[in-house]
Each structure stands twice: as structure tokens, then as C-alpha cells.
Amino acid sequence: EKLYKNATPSFLADPNQLAYPSTYNMAIETNNYKQFTSIAKNNRNKSKDNSESNNSKSTKRGFCNWILPQTVMIGQYPGQTPETYGPSMKECRRHIQTMVRDANISLFCCLQTEVPPQDDRDAWTFHGNSGEGGEDGEIYLEPWAARREFPRPFTRYGPLARSLAEDPSALTFLHCPIEDLSVPSCRDEVVSILWRLLCHLDGDFDGVGGNDAVGVVAGDGCQDPTLAKRAIYIHCWGGRGRAGLVGSCLISLLFPELTSSQVLEYTQCGYDTREGADRMPVGLRKSPQTEEQRRFVREFVDVVRKEVELVK
């Protein structure tokens, strides 16, 4: 009954509470620049905002946003990513430092199949020493032909996060891989992910579950001040598809009074608070990203709402 405790998400009325000011300069190749500036002009529809010069080669882009203010963040891969227009290592370092020191992130949940777990040093070292990888802590996309479009590697961010954290031992890295642009293999898979996230917020790091696994998040307050400092960063590659799916399902569990349309609208509102979201290509403007992912969320929400009715 506590899992399905009905709480009023007052922050839904103010999407600005979901914004987080961690950004980078997204470099734009010359042959793609007209597309991006055209998108920016059409979306802003104000002449004063069209001051970007054709000589410009970058635009601001947000790393992440809250899906639950001060508690659950969804965002893109915190380290360097393969695309040429991704963040620099300096920008990634600044972002990671902001996450662990200012946003109080204590758990990073990776939903990617493209990289191994952050704590699996051998896997990162193997790829770095093989012909398929680069230096230790770097993983390139396969096959080799993919490097024409994605020339940079994913860089391992776990050790850097620990080195920047005030308490390195308090950081946890969870790896729950889902194929890119896809959905979990079954509903039980996403339930398992959500349960482990909720247990972390409740201080149960073994994933067994405490007496009030949702109380820390959905309640009016938290008596234990150390619990209030636990925040989660859920990420995939771009932070909109798989991360948007899991974030949406989590919101449905915490606030089962919300319909599937409300949950999806809420997730989209959060994504739209990211700097530069309105200037992305059409295929990168929605969260969750694909229709299959949004359908998964709708079906998940419907099941949650039906089960809530059964326990009332």
C-alpha cells in the first residue's frame, strides 16, 4: 500500500523546477549548421533571437534535467560521447563535478549496452588494449565503419566521479543495459530497475527494500537529513530515449493517479527545460524518443493504475 501511496506532485504545475543549468557547447559541422539554425529560427520565431551568425559553429546544449526535483535526474552520458558535436572532456569534468557536489548525485544508473559497467575495470581495459578500442577507459562504437560518423570514444566517467566526490565511497554505479532506441525485454525488467532505484533512495543498498521505499521521495519531508541528500542520475547516450522511458515509469509508480498522457507530457516538459532542446533535429526533440518507447510507457502506466485500483 505504501508503494502506491497517492501523493500530489505539486511541482507538476511548474516545469521550471525540473531545469538544471549544466550545459556544454555543442559544436556544429558546417554542412549541418543551416539545419540547426533553421530549427532555432523556426522555434524561437522572434527576430531578436535570430542573432546567431552563419559564422557560428556551436550552440548551447543542456546535459540533463530533474524528473523529480532534487531527487531523480535524467540526462545524457556524463563522460565524452562518440559524436563529433558532443561535449569536451573539460565540459564533462565540470558536469560530473556539478552532479556529485552540487546536485548530490550518489547513484549513476547506466541504461546502455554500448558500454560496460563503470566498476568493471577489466572490461574497460580490455577494450582499450584491443584493436577495437583506444586507451584504457575508452570504448569506440563498433563496427569500425561507425567511426566515420562517430569518431570519438565513450570515456569512462566512474573513476573521475569518485575523484571529484567529497565522499567517494558513497557513490554507486548501477548498470541496467537496454538496446539503443529500444525498450526493456519485458515489464519485469523495468520493474527490477525501478525497485533498485527506490531501494537506493530509501538507503537499502542491497536492494531488499525498506519499510517505506517510496516515503523518502513521495512524502512531505524526510526526517533523516542524510536520506534527503541521496539523488539519482539515470542516463543513456542522449538522455531522452531509454532514460526518458525509465524516468516516466518511475513517475508512474510514485504518482499512480497520473494518466499515461500526463506522465508522458510531464517527461517531455522536463526534457524541454534543457538548454537547446528546441534547436535539436525533429527526431531528437521527444522524450521518450521513439513511438515504441512511448507505447511501452503507456502500457506500463495502464498496468500500474489497474493494480492501484485493486489494492484500494
Side-chain angles (χ1 to χ4, degrees):
E1 292 181 356
K2 285 191 175 183
L3 180 61
Y4 296 120
K5 179 182 178 182
N6 201 9
T8 301
S10 59
F11 52 84
L12 290 179
D14 183 12
N16 289 328
Q17 294 187 48
L18 305 179
Y20 197 90
S22 183
T23 64
Y24 63 93
N25 289 312
M26 185 173 72
I28 301 173
E29 295 179 1
T30 303
N31 60 342
N32 292 329
Y33 186 73
K34 289 184 178 180
Q35 176 190 11
F36 276 85
T37 53
S38 175
I39 290 170
K41 291 177 181 179
N42 290 335
N43 286 338
R44 292 168 181 175
N45 199 26
K46 293 182 180 180
S47 60
K48 66 178 181 179
D49 288 330
N50 293 335
S51 58
E52 293 172 310
S53 166
N54 285 335
N55 294 323
S56 176
K57 295 294 189 298
S58 68
T59 184
K60 285 286 185 181
R61 178 77 180 116
F63 273 100
C64 56
N65 62 271
W66 292 112
I67 193 71
L68 196 61
Q70 314 306 316
T71 307
V72 181
M73 185 94 72
I74 57 175
Q76 68 181 59
Y77 187 79
Q80 182 178 280
T81 49
E83 64 273 21
T84 56
Y85 52 82
S88 67
M89 286 301 300
K90 182 178 180 180
E91 290 168 324
C92 291
R93 179 185 178 88
R94 183 174 64 242
H95 172 60
I96 293 170
Q97 179 171 312
T98 300
M99 291 298 99
V100 297
R101 294 189 182 180
D102 299 334
N104 295 317
I105 299 299
S106 59
L107 182 147
F108 288 88
C109 176
C110 176
L111 302 173
Q112 297 178 247
T113 58
E114 303 94 303
V115 296
Q118 291 296 314
D119 282 333
D120 190 345
R121 182 178 181 277
D122 290 342
W124 284 91
T125 301
F126 169 78
H127 282 280
N129 291 335
S130 71
E132 301 170 350
E135 302 296 325
D136 287 358
E138 295 183 351
I139 290 183
Y140 287 87
L141 288 181
E142 299 178 20
W144 183 270
R147 297 196 188 183
R148 180 172 299 177
E149 184 177 0
F150 301 106
R152 306 193 310 172
F154 283 105
T155 58
R156 185 183 178 201
Y157 67 84
L160 176 59
R162 283 208 167 99
S163 71
L164 294 172
E166 294 179 357
D167 181 6
S169 64
L171 277 185
T172 302
F173 299 95
L174 184 62
H175 192 69
C176 305
I178 302 170
E179 288 290 338
D180 191 19
L181 300 175
S182 188
V183 299
S185 58
C186 63
R187 192 178 302 117
D188 287 346
E189 182 181 353
V190 75
V191 169
S192 175
I193 297 172
L194 297 175
W195 183 247
R196 294 170 75 179
L197 297 178
L198 291 172
C199 286
H200 179 85
L201 291 173
D202 194 43
D204 181 2
F205 300 103
D206 294 326
V208 177
N211 295 325
D212 187 9
V214 183
V216 174
V217 182
D220 293 331
C222 177
Q223 293 182 352
D224 185 345
T226 62
L227 295 183
K229 293 183 178 180
R230 292 195 186 115
I232 290 173
Y233 187 99
I234 303 171
H235 76 82
C236 50
W237 182 344
R240 55 186 159 262
R242 293 163 286 184
L245 181 153
V246 171
S248 296
C249 292
L250 181 59
I251 288 298
S252 177
L253 272 186
L254 297 174
F255 305 107
E257 71 272 21
L258 299 179
T259 66
S260 58
S261 295
Q262 289 174 318
V263 168
L264 288 171
E265 181 180 359
Y266 171 67
T267 301
Q268 185 64 48
C269 283
Y271 180 73
D272 288 343
T273 65
R274 294 189 202 176
E275 181 78 23
D278 62 336
R279 299 191 292 277
M280 296 298 285
V282 175
L284 303 180
R285 289 190 214 167
K286 288 188 175 182
S287 181
Q289 186 172 352
T290 70
E291 178 53 38
E292 181 186 20
Q293 291 169 339
R294 294 189 289 273
R295 183 168 59 249
F296 185 97
V297 171
R298 293 189 193 99
E299 294 173 353
F300 183 89
V301 173
D302 289 343
V303 170
V304 169
R305 288 170 63 83
K306 288 177 182 178
E307 292 189 4
V308 167
E309 289 300 317
L310 291 175
V311 299
K312 281 185 176 179

